[in-house]
Amino acid sequence: MKPPRPPLGPPKARFVSASDVARLAGVSRSAVSRAFTPGAQVSEQARARILAAAEELGYRVNRLARTLHQERSDLVGVVGGNFSNPYISAQLDALSKALHARRLQCLLMNSACGVAEDLKRLLDYRVRTVVLLSGAVPDTLIRLCAQNGARMVLINRPRPPEGARADLILAGNARGGRLAAERLAQAGCRNVAVVISGSRTSAKLERAEAFCSEMSLRGMPVTRWADGPNSYETGVEAARSLLREPGLDGIFGVTDEIALGVLNTARFELGLRVPEDLSVIGFDDAPISGWSSHALTTVSQSLADLTRATMEAIALPPEAAPMLYEVPVRLVERGSVRAPLSPGTD
Amino acid sequence: MKPPRPPLGPPKARFVSASDVARLAGVSRSAVSRAFTPGAQVSEQARARILAAAEELGYRVNRLARTLHQERSDLVGVVGGNFSNPYISAQLDALSKALHARRLQCLLMNSACGVAEDLKRLLDYRVRTVVLLSGAVPDTLIRLCAQNGARMVLINRPRPPEGARADLILAGNARGGRLAAERLAQAGCRNVAVVISGSRTSAKLERAEAFCSEMSLRGMPVTRWADGPNSYETGVEAARSLLREPGLDGIFGVTDEIALGVLNTARFELGLRVPEDLSVIGFDDAPISGWSSHALTTVSQSLADLTRATMEAIALPPEAAPMLYEVPVRLVERGSVRAPLSPGTD
DNA sequence: GGCAACGCTGCACAGCTGTGCAGCCCGGCA
DNA sequence: TGCCGGGCTGCACAGCTGTGCAGCGTTGCC
C-alpha cells in the first residue's frame, strides 16, 4: 500500500498530474483538463490561475492517459534496419521532420537486432501506423496490425500476401534497373555485373532482374554477385572478387552504398580508372553520392516524393482502402559512367 | 454517446483490449492481466485458454495504460538535429540497438524543425529520460525534467547552469583540439585555419579554442571561419573562401562532415593536392571518413564508449546523482595530413 | 421583483491496465 | 463428517485524463 501522495510536496521523482495542478489552483481536476482543451468551457480567470499553477509545477498533459480516450494515438512506429546507411538516414531525417510538422510522434525501432517478434512491441504502444523502411515484413505483424486497426506502410518492401492490407510505396525499381542497363550499354560496356546484397529484399531483386533482362535483350550476359548485408563492405568484397581478373567494364550496384564500395575499391585498391576502365552506376541517390569525392552516376528516387507519399498514407483514416504509390525515378548523370559512345544509338 | 462495443464483433479499426480477450476466454479481465504478468497467480489451464484467445484476437498488452501504474515508463526520448549527418546517424544506430537490448523504446524527435518549446512534447509521453544528441539545451526543458523526475543526458552539450541536474557525456574536446594542433604542427604547417559552424555548440567551440591556444603556444596564428550549420556544405563554403588565395597549408574541421567538405573542395574543385599542398584534419571519426575516397585523418571519439556511457546514464534510478563521463579520444592517422617532418620534434 | 437563460463548475463515468483483498471451491486430514 | 488450508478467481480501486450532465450562481429582461 503506497502512502497517499503529500499535498503539494516537493517534486519527488514523479510526474506532475492534473490533480496536483488542481490542488494548487484551487479548482477541480476537470477544470484543469478543460484549461488544456481548446474550445472547452472555462472562465478566463480560472484558466489563468490554472495555467499559472501548471507553469509553476511544470505540468504537462499526459498524452498516454489521453490516448486511452482517443480513437487513435499520435504515435507512428518507424522501423529501419540500419540507420547509418546514408539513404536510410536521409529518409529518417525527412520523415521525422514531416511527422513533427503534423504533430505526430516517432517511435523508432531498429530491426537489425530483433527478430520479427520484437516488432510486435510497437503495437504495445498503440501506434496508429507502422512504417517499414527496411527489413523483412513478417506476415504475423501485418495480421496483427489489421486486427488492431493500425495501418501499415511498406516502403520498397515486397508486396504482402493476398488479403493483407498495407499501403505500398515503391520506387520504380524495374524502370530504374532498365535505366541503369541502358546507360551502361550506351557507354559501350560489353561485360557487366550486378551486385546485390545477400538479404534479398524484393526491391533490390527487382532492380537486378530488370537490369539483367534489359541486358539480355541486348545480348549481353550479366555476372551476378549476391552476398552479405546491404552495406559498403559488401561493395568492397564484390569488387575485390569480381575485378580480380580483368575483363569487367561495367558494374551496377543495386544500392548507392554498395556502388560506392565498388567504386572506391576499384579506384583506390585496385588502381582502376573510373569511368575510363570501369563504369559504375548505383541506385537511390544518397546525399554523399553527389559529393565530388564520388560523383556517382545513379538512379534517383526522389526523397521528397517518397516522404510526401508516406505522409499521405499516414494521414489516411484507419478504414481507408490501401494506397499504392510509385515514386518516379530518373537517371542522375555524374562522372562514374563513361560518356555515351554515339549519342543517337540508344 | 458512443454505442456500446459489440461483443466479439469483427475487429473494427480499434485496438483489442483485455476485456475482449476475457470475454472470449470466459474469464474476468483480471485473469487476463495476470496471464500476462510473470509470477502472477493463474491456473495453468486458465492461462492456456487466455493465451489462445489473445493469439486469436491479436491482443497485445497496452503499455500506455500499464505505464499509468508504473513508477517509470519504458520510453526514452532521443533528440537530434540532423539524422543524415554521418556521425549522428551512427550514434543513433548504436543507441537504438542498445535501447532495444534493454527493452526500452526510443521516442525520436528531430530538433532541426522545432524550437525549444517542441521538445517539451516529449514529456507529454512520460519519457523516463531525455537524451540530447545535438541542438541547443533550453534551460526550461532541464527545469521541466527535474520537476517531473525525468533524467536528462546531454551528449557533447554545454554544461547546464548551476543547480540544473543532468548527466554529461563529453568527448575529450579540448584534448582532441590539442591533438589536432600538434599533428598539424608536426606536419610542418605554418599557416592554419579552423572551421566551425555558425551554430556555436560548446563542444565545437571547445575543440576550436583548444586548437587555437595550442597553436598560439607554438607562435602560430589561426584563421577562424565560423558560419552556417554543421554540414558538408559549410566545409565547402569555408574551403572556397579560405583557399581562394594561396597560403594556407593546414585546416582543422571541428567535425568530420565539415572536414570532408573542405577536403573534397580542395581536391576536386580547387585542384589542390591533399596532403602535399594542404593538410586536413577532422573530429569524430564517422564511418565514411575511413573510406578510401576520403582517408581523413581525424580525432576519434569511440562510439562504443559513448554508447555504453549513455546506456549507463539511462539505467540510473531517478534520484541518483548526476553522472559525468569523458569519452577518451585518440588520433586516427590516415592520409589527409602530411607525414611528420622530423619524428623527434614534437 | 420574478423568471428565464446562460456561463461556469464539479460529479461521475469511461478508457485500459495492475493488484490487494475477500471469497469461493476443493482437497486433505482428524 | 467436519474443519482447515491453499490455490484461484473476481471485485473494486488506483493511476490519469476527457467529457456528458446536472446544478449553481449570475445576469438580463419584463
Side-chain angles (χ1 to χ4, degrees), chain B residues 18 29-30 33 59 66 69:
Chain B
R29 199 192 46 70
S30 318
S33 177
Y59 171 70
R66 174 183 272 180
H69 257 277

Side-chain angles (χ1 to χ4, degrees), chain A residues 178-179 181-186 189-190 211-221 345-346:
Chain A
R178 280 196 300 276
L179 282 178
E182 277 170 21
R183 185 60 187 84
L184 289 187
Q186 282 178 353
C189 294
R190 312 294 313 159
F211 179 84
C212 291
S213 62
E214 181 71 25
M215 278 303 187
S216 83
L217 280 182
R218 294 162 188 263
M220 245 187 284
T345 307
D346 190 4

Side-chain angles (χ1 to χ4, degrees), chain A residues 18 29-30 33 59 66 69:
Chain A
R29 199 193 46 72
S30 316
S33 177
Y59 171 69
R66 177 183 269 180
H69 256 279

Side-chain angles (χ1 to χ4, degrees), chain A residues 50-179:
Chain A
I50 291 168
L51 291 187
E55 172 67 22
E56 184 182 334
L57 294 177
Y59 171 69
R60 300 239 93 206
V61 175
N62 185 340
R63 273 188 133 89
L64 270 36
R66 177 183 269 180
T67 301
L68 292 183
H69 256 279
Q70 284 171 338
E71 282 284 307
R72 304 175 87 184
S73 80
D74 298 328
L75 258 31
V76 173
V78 176
V79 182
N82 181 5
F83 299 124
S84 65
N85 173 300
Y87 192 68
I88 299 271
S89 64
Q91 259 181 276
L92 181 63
D93 192 57
L95 183 58
S96 62
K97 279 178 190 155
L99 287 172
H100 186 275
R102 296 232 191 174
R103 322 228 102 203
L104 296 172
Q105 214 62 32
C106 175
L107 200 60
L108 194 69
M109 179 160 266
N110 195 323
S111 63
C113 43
V115 285
E117 195 58 30
D118 292 324
L119 294 184
K120 294 186 183 169
R121 258 180 24 213
L122 283 177
L123 275 297
D124 298 359
Y125 295 89
R126 278 10 184 189
V127 293
R128 53 145 65 196
T129 313
V130 175
V131 179
L132 254 83
L133 298 180
S134 66
V137 189
D139 289 358
T140 56
L141 183 60
I142 299 190
R143 180 171 152 268
L144 206 59
C145 284
Q147 286 178 301
N148 285 285
R151 291 190 77 97
M152 245 183 124
V153 183
L154 307 181
I155 299 186
N156 267 327
R157 298 300 96 197
R159 194 176 292 268
E162 195 56 42
R165 293 161 56 105
D167 301 307
L168 295 179
I169 297 177
L170 302 166
N173 291 307
R175 199 169 121 65
R178 280 196 300 276
L179 282 178

Side-chain angles (χ1 to χ4, degrees), chain B residues 262-278:
Chain B
V262 171
L263 177 72
N264 284 341
T265 305
R267 267 192 186 145
F268 299 102
E269 190 178 314
L270 306 173
L272 294 171
R273 289 172 308 160
V274 176
E276 293 82 354
D277 303 329
L278 176 74

